[in-house]
């Protein structure tokens, strides 16, 4: 069974309630129909019910009736949500009038449903920007305890089984924080290891903090940041298996790791890679994807107390379908 199917089966085993706030968008509704047909998750679709049913009929989608439909313009819980949003954001100047308008916004409404424990996760981005997806999540759901920055992980499924976890690597940050400081980088390490457990199913995440230096082979302030982040990651999660600074070959290749970092329990055995900044991470995973013919799944947003994931506006039906299963796996883990 490949990794994607493992993720889907895990989602089926403990169904979660996932919000799709862009439910009148064609790819989203087609993906929802497939998810419901295969019983992967319980879906909450936000949009005008008549419009959703009309589109489902037009496109021959036969499973949409299995979803819960919520009309943002006629929601009996609107006032309850508006009062709560006002309380949550009163220090930022939120008024009840503004809150009443915001809870009609599907992205805000979905996060309010999650906040009040009516759902377990949300996916948007087929129509919305990353900023629009993240803003309500950070304002309403907020970050996980001990975490102050959001980041994005990518699952890389390669054809090189000698590396990572039988050819699978989890890498971060590839999507959100351009220039993390040492504290943020340590949090990215902890969160990416958690994603490796909850989504990729790694029983033993082994985190390499990447750099252009291995154990003092070069001296520079950006190397110092990685060294400090490694120390802070161990303090943040004492159970975390992490080492750095390591070059990519020292992290992945046993013979190189043994030579450059003798005695390291991570060198040559890493299955989680943490990049020193977003520029390196984004370039790095795309090179592996294109030149190495690897499958890339994500980005998977991490660091939020309940999972909220962002899609590319160029996403496919299959991308949304897979992200529902991924978000469900994250939601299971968030409840522990």
């Amino acid at each position: 069974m490949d990794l994607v199917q493992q993720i889907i089966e895990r989602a089926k085993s403990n169904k979660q309630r996932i919000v799709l706030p862009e439910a009148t968008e064609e790819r989203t509704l087609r993906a929802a129909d497939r998810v419901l047909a295969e019983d992967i998750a319980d879906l909450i679709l936000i949009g005008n019910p008549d419009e959703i049913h009309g589109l489902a009929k037009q496109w021959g989608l036969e499973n949409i009736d299995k979803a819960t439909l919520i009309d943002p313009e006629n929601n009996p819980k609107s006032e309850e949500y508006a009062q709560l949003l006002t309380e949550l954001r009163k220090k930022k100047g939120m008024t009840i009038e503004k809150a009443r308008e915001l809870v009609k916004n599907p992205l805000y409404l979905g996060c309010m449903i999650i906040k009040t424990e009516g759902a377990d996760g949300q996916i948007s981005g087929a129509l919305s920007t990353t900023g629009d997806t993240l803003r309500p999540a950070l304002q309403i759901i907020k970050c996980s305890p001990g975490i102050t920055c959001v980041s994005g992980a990518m699952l890389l499924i390669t054809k090189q089984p000698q590396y990572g976890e039988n050819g699978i690597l989890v890498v971060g940050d590839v999507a959100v924080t351009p220039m993390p400081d040492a504290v943020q980088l340590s949090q990215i390490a902890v969160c990416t290891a958690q994603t490796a457990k909850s989504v990729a199913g790694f029983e033993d995440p082994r985190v390499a903090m990447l750099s252009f230096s291995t154990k003092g082979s070069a001296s520079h302030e950006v190397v110092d940041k990685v060294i400090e982040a490694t120390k802070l990651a161990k303090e943040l999660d004492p159970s975390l298996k992490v080492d750095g600074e390591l070059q990519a070959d020292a992290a992945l290749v046993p013979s190189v790791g043994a030579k450059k970092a003798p005695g390291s329990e991570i060198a040559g055995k890493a299955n989680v890679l943490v990049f020193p900044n977003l520029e390196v991470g984004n370039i790095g995973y795309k090179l592996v994807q294109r030149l190495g013919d690897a499958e890339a799944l994500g980005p998977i947003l991490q660091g939020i107390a309940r999972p909220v994931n962002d899609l590319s506006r160029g996403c496919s039906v299959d991308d949304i379908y897979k992200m529902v299963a991924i978000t469900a796996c994250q939601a299971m883990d968030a409840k522990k």
Side-chain angles (χ1 to χ4, degrees):
M1 190 185 299
D2 66 18
L3 177 61
V4 173
Q5 195 57 43
Q6 289 175 29
I7 291 169
I8 290 168
E9 292 302 320
R10 204 178 307 129
K12 286 182 178 181
S13 72
N14 184 359
K15 286 203 302 177
Q16 302 294 298
R17 302 161 300 172
I18 306 300
V19 182
L20 298 179
E22 299 167 328
T24 56
E25 193 275 330
E26 182 174 358
R27 293 162 297 171
T28 302
L29 201 58
R30 288 186 181 276
D33 187 71
R34 185 177 170 191
V35 167
L36 293 165
E38 297 181 22
D39 210 24
I40 292 170
D42 293 324
L43 296 184
I44 298 170
L45 306 181
I46 297 180
N48 180 279
D50 291 338
E51 183 180 0
I52 292 172
H53 284 305
L55 292 171
K57 184 176 180 181
Q58 177 184 333
W59 295 326
L61 308 178
E62 299 178 350
N63 298 281
I64 298 303
D65 285 340
K66 297 177 184 178
T68 299
L69 275 55
I70 295 179
D71 185 349
E73 295 293 334
N74 295 284
N75 177 15
K77 292 189 175 182
S78 281
E79 185 61 23
E80 174 191 336
Y81 291 158
Q83 294 286 347
L84 177 56
L85 181 57
T86 304
E87 180 64 23
L88 289 171
R89 301 289 293 165
K90 64 182 180 182
K91 292 182 180 178
K92 298 294 183 179
M94 180 64 67
T95 64
I96 187 63
E97 292 78 16
K98 178 66 174 174
R100 285 171 178 149
E101 286 302 311
L102 283 176
V103 298
K104 295 179 183 179
N105 178 317
L107 302 181
Y108 274 83
L109 174 54
C111 288
M112 292 305 302
I113 296 169
I114 294 169
K115 184 69 174 179
T116 55
E117 300 186 354
D120 306 304
Q122 175 167 293
I123 304 164
S124 60
L127 295 174
S128 311
T129 66
T130 297
D132 287 342
T133 292
L134 277 175
R135 193 173 301 110
L138 293 176
Q139 291 179 0
I140 296 166
I141 303 171
K142 305 186 185 301
C143 287
S144 302
I147 303 298
T148 58
C149 82
V150 176
S151 56
M154 190 71 67
L155 308 186
L156 291 177
I157 305 171
T158 79
K159 295 177 173 63
Q160 304 294 327
Q162 69 271 34
Y163 300 131
E165 199 75 10
N166 197 31
I168 300 167
L169 293 158
V170 184
V171 302
D173 175 19
V174 300
V176 182
T177 305
M179 292 295 292
D181 58 25
V183 171
Q184 292 171 320
L185 197 59
S186 71
Q187 294 178 8
I188 291 168
V190 170
C191 290
T192 307
Q194 194 59 47
T195 296
K197 286 182 180 180
S198 63
V199 178
F202 289 7
E203 292 183 3
D204 185 31
R206 300 178 297 276
V207 183
M209 307 293 283
L210 297 186
S211 178
F212 61 82
S213 169
T214 297
K215 298 298 182 180
S217 65
S219 178
H220 192 276
E221 61 184 18
V222 297
V223 178
D224 294 339
K225 179 183 79 169
V226 175
I227 295 169
E228 178 65 13
T230 303
K231 174 177 170 288
L232 293 172
K234 292 176 181 176
E235 293 174 359
L236 186 59
D237 181 1
S239 69
L240 185 67
K241 291 183 178 179
V242 59
D243 199 8
E245 85 284 17
L246 296 170
Q247 290 164 287
D249 58 351
L252 293 172
V253 183
S255 60
V256 178
K259 183 177 181 180
K260 291 187 173 184
S264 171
E265 68 173 344
I266 303 300
K269 304 170 189 173
N271 53 20
V272 177
L273 305 179
V274 175
F275 298 112
N277 60 51
L278 179 56
E279 185 174 39
V280 174
N282 192 270
I283 292 169
Y285 98 75
K286 288 182 178 180
L287 285 173
V288 173
Q289 181 185 22
R290 301 301 177 181
L291 299 181
D293 193 25
E295 181 179 359
L297 294 180
I300 301 162
L301 296 185
Q302 49 191 24
I304 306 169
R306 290 290 182 271
V308 174
N309 275 308
D310 178 40
L311 300 159
S312 163
R313 276 171 283 176
C315 64
S316 67
V317 172
D318 196 52
D319 292 332
I320 302 171
Y321 164 82
K322 290 175 183 175
M323 190 56 76
V324 170
I326 286 169
T327 306
C329 289
Q330 288 181 287
M332 286 181 228
D333 188 68
K335 293 177 179 178
K336 291 179 180 177

